[in-house]
Amino acid sequence: MRLLSKAVQSAVSHREWGRRHFWGWLNAVFNKVDYERIKAVGPDRAAAEWLLRCGAKVRFQGFDRWHHDYNGLPTGPLGRYKIQAIDATESCIMYRGFDHLDGLTCVEEIKLNKCIYIEDTCLERLSSIENLQKSLYMMEVVSCGNVTDKGVIALHKLKNLEYLFLSDLPGIKDQQTTVNRLQTALPRLDLALDLD
């Protein structure tokens, strides 16, 4: 009986591993950057398509509502709709797709809540995008288990960042040093923490 139990556990474990591997592969496909598509429809439309494909939401300038339906994205002339806010809560966005953010000029707010693929390299990449350094003023990073002090400190490059909410980030080990470095680099920053 014990041998049968172990065989069943092994089969279930192998099946679970297979499912995780499949979903990881599929999420990587969703994050693939199509540079020809960016040229064809513009950076904001291509970024919106990427974000919605990965389960995120976007809000365009001039709109009060969030768009979450890929087929419901507004259409019009190239460059007409500019992304103003991104809510990536529980989405599968990952570093591989961050090149979509390069051409965005009007993003003021980004929420990264419960994003399992967000890690330090993602925050470093996001912080190095010149357009976001100019436009982004509000950001949340919540329950992203792969984010450490290094990734949060990289946010100091976002010179116009006025509000940053950090919560449930177990990878942050030296909270005081991280906070001090951010506040020194960004004196106007309103930093809200819930890390304990």
Side-chain angles (χ1 to χ4, degrees):
M1 185 67 160
R2 196 176 307 169
L3 185 58
L4 179 61
S5 176
K6 284 189 177 200
V8 168
Q9 286 176 346
S10 176
V12 169
S13 169
H14 184 67
R15 189 174 346 141
E16 287 300 316
W17 179 87
R19 278 191 201 139
R20 278 185 290 210
H21 182 70
F22 171 76
W23 286 112
W25 171 82
L26 186 60
N27 291 335
V29 170
F30 286 163
N31 279 276
K32 188 172 190 276
V33 179
D34 183 348
Y35 298 99
E36 292 302 316
R37 181 72 179 156
I38 294 172
K39 286 181 190 174
V41 300
D44 287 273
R45 173 67 188 216
E49 291 174 355
W50 162 60
L51 290 160
L52 271 59
R53 201 171 40 240
C54 292
K57 298 183 284 190
V58 297
R59 192 178 70 235
F60 293 98
Q61 282 183 327
F63 286 80
D64 291 330
R65 69 181 181 92
W66 290 90
H67 288 80
H68 57 84
D69 179 8
Y70 187 91
N71 296 316
L73 285 172
T75 58
L78 190 67
R80 178 174 180 190
Y81 298 101
K82 302 285 188 185
I83 295 175
Q84 184 175 22
I86 297 169
D87 182 351
T89 300
E90 296 182 344
S91 72
C92 69
I93 64 169
M94 61 179 63
Y95 181 83
R96 182 177 190 175
F98 272 52
D99 282 0
H100 284 102
L101 301 175
D102 282 338
L104 305 184
T105 58
C106 300
V107 177
E108 297 175 351
E109 175 185 347
I110 294 179
K111 295 179 182 180
L112 301 173
N113 299 334
K114 299 180 184 174
C115 300
I116 62 171
Y117 297 111
I118 294 297
E119 55 194 6
D120 292 342
T121 55
C122 297
L123 297 183
E124 291 166 351
R125 174 72 173 100
L126 187 141
S127 300
S128 69
I129 299 172
E130 288 184 34
N131 290 334
L132 293 180
Q133 291 173 355
K134 297 173 188 169
S135 67
L136 192 63
Y137 76 87
M138 192 166 136
M139 189 167 178
E140 290 182 11
V141 183
V142 177
S143 300
C144 296
N146 296 319
V147 171
T148 70
D149 305 77
K150 181 181 176 186
V152 172
I153 289 171
L155 299 176
H156 80 278
K157 294 179 184 175
L158 300 170
K159 295 299 180 191
N160 286 318
L161 199 60
E162 293 178 12
Y163 177 78
L164 177 61
F165 178 62
L166 303 173
S167 178
D168 187 26
L169 300 173
I172 295 184
K173 302 300 183 200
D174 190 355
Q175 181 178 334
Q176 192 58 50
T177 300
T178 301
V179 167
N180 289 343
R181 290 188 65 186
L182 278 176
Q183 290 181 326
T184 300
L186 304 169
R188 296 182 306 148
L189 180 65
D190 179 10
L191 183 59
L193 299 171
D194 184 14
L195 299 174
D196 295 324

